[in-house]
Amino acid sequence: MADPGFTPVILLTGFLGSGKTTLLSRLLADPALSDTAVLINEFGEVGLDHHLLDRIDEEMVLLSSGCVCCTIRGELAAAIKALHSRRARGEVPPFRRIVVESTGLADPLPVIATVTADPVLRHHVRMGAVVTTVDAVNGPDQLARQPESVAQAAVADRLVLTKTDLATPAQEAAAVAALRALNPDAPLVRAADAPLDAAALLGGRQALTTMSEGFRCIPAPAGAENHTAGVSTFALVFEASIDWTRFGLWLTMLLHRHGSAVLRVKGLLNVAGANTPVAIHGVQQLVHVPTHLPAWPDPADRSSRLVFITRGLDAGLIERSLRAFGLMPAGAPEGVEQGQ
């Protein structure tokens, strides 16, 4: 769930031909998502015709599942504002979430920035999960060659591996290894598996705490290799509790200086004075509102862990900066886990 009174915006992204449309059509047929609004580029590009029930106007239709489906004409911010206003006036059925399907060549950052930074939207919506589809057959090659594919997979809160029914076991294993080297802790589901839990897949970030791999912040598996030039995944682990003010200053300065090189930072923090962990998410210079979790995933392990996915940014530099701010003690590192 999003914060009370705020509508979560879920981004569905993935490279060209990775199966976003097929997945979206399948998810919207689930009654659990009947209170969903969908923003897409063109109806004709999205195979939802068999779900169409009623056309409200030239930009909006009501699907048989109860979902509202709209085309994006112009800026995303304007489309979300218009949708929100029409809901307030009772011109469209009530909805609890908005799903935005991006184009296959889109960098996800502008969508996230729109939701997070727009001065009007920030009073009505919150960024929910980023769900990224990856083709099991072509995904490894796309991750090695296409910067957009790397960005889409790196920022994902959930990864959906598609076309596993067409892939050989070796191709599927290669795709999983490439994704785990790039984004080691995002829950990964296979679209060919049935049934898919639509509500959990498109749930807000807090729903991650109830999923099997949520907030573990694990490093990439041993032996996994990241073939995308300049991209590395690593985790910094430390036992001492963290001064929240000092940490916030450090993170702000780090992202101000190196934000373009930080594809993603995700952390589970033991904050001094707090009984439960604080989860943080950042994409380049954008940091989402920290979340106070109700309990530690593993009560026996209360160490803080930061996972970084970076392009051309050395783990040692980040570790040294943490020490300079007194967030990690001097001397031998308490934990640096490399994903390469």
Side-chain angles (χ1 to χ4, degrees):
M1 285 289 296
D3 297 335
F6 293 91
T7 303
V9 177
I10 295 95
L11 173 60
L12 176 60
T13 187
F15 201 68
L16 294 169
S18 63
K20 295 187 300 298
T21 296
T22 301
L23 177 66
L24 180 60
S25 180
R26 181 178 171 185
L27 293 175
L28 292 184
D30 190 319
L33 297 186
S34 60
D35 51 0
T36 300
V38 185
L39 284 170
I40 57 179
N41 289 298
E42 291 293 341
F43 292 133
E45 297 176 2
V46 179
L48 297 173
D49 289 346
H50 61 292
H51 292 308
L52 298 184
L53 177 66
D54 184 34
R55 180 172 289 277
I56 298 174
D57 55 33
E58 64 177 8
E59 297 183 9
M60 186 176 298
V61 296
L62 182 65
L63 307 184
S64 61
S65 60
C67 303
V68 176
C69 192
C70 316
T71 52
I72 301 173
R73 296 191 176 181
E75 295 295 326
L76 175 63
I80 297 177
K81 292 170 188 174
L83 192 58
H84 186 273
S85 296
R86 296 185 72 165
R87 181 181 64 178
R89 295 194 299 267
E91 296 176 4
V92 298
F95 54 85
R96 294 178 59 199
R97 67 184 66 83
I98 299 172
V99 176
V100 176
E101 184 191 6
S102 71
T103 62
L105 291 175
D107 182 336
L109 180 61
V111 174
I112 297 172
T114 294
V115 174
T116 305
D118 185 278
V120 175
L121 289 183
R122 62 193 302 174
H123 293 292
H124 302 290
V125 301
R126 285 286 184 266
M127 191 65 211
V130 178
V131 181
T132 300
T133 55
V134 180
D135 181 341
V137 177
N138 300 305
D141 183 66
Q142 292 167 348
L143 289 169
R145 298 173 182 273
Q146 304 293 342
E148 298 89 353
S149 181
V150 172
Q152 292 161 1
V155 304
D157 294 297
R158 290 133 201 178
L159 293 164
V160 180
L161 193 61
T162 64
K163 304 183 184 178
T164 53
D165 53 332
L166 304 177
T168 66
Q171 287 174 322
E172 181 176 344
V176 171
L179 288 172
R180 283 301 175 226
L182 183 61
N183 191 340
D185 68 329
L188 188 151
V189 300
R190 289 163 174 80
D193 293 345
L196 283 177
D197 188 339
L201 190 62
L202 296 184
R205 277 198 168 85
Q206 292 187 30
L208 288 169
T209 60
T210 65
M211 301 182 75
S212 61
E213 296 182 83
F215 289 122
R216 288 197 298 160
C217 292
I218 58 175
E225 295 182 358
N226 192 333
H227 297 290
T228 305
V231 175
S232 61
T233 305
F234 54 89
L236 297 174
V237 184
F238 36 107
E239 302 296 333
S241 60
I242 291 175
D243 180 279
W244 179 249
T245 301
R246 189 176 298 179
F247 177 83
L249 180 61
W250 169 80
L251 184 61
T252 299
M253 294 183 68
L254 175 75
L255 296 182
H256 179 74
R257 176 66 177 84
H258 299 289
S260 60
V262 179
L263 296 178
R264 179 168 183 167
V265 57
K266 180 178 180 181
L268 191 66
L269 305 179
N270 182 353
V271 175
N275 294 323
T276 59
V278 175
I280 63 163
H281 297 85
V283 178
Q284 295 190 344
Q285 286 93 350
L286 299 173
V287 178
H288 301 286
V289 177
T291 303
H292 290 262
L293 302 186
W296 286 89
D298 181 358
D301 181 6
R302 298 197 173 194
S303 59
S304 295
R305 178 167 294 180
L306 291 172
V307 172
F308 287 87
I309 304 172
T310 64
R311 193 193 305 273
L313 191 61
D314 180 60
L317 182 148
I318 293 177
E319 185 186 341
R320 289 191 297 273
S321 70
L322 279 165
R323 296 191 191 286
F325 271 75
L327 295 167
M328 291 180 72
E334 296 187 42
V336 178
E337 299 171 334
Q338 292 286 349
Q340 283 189 263

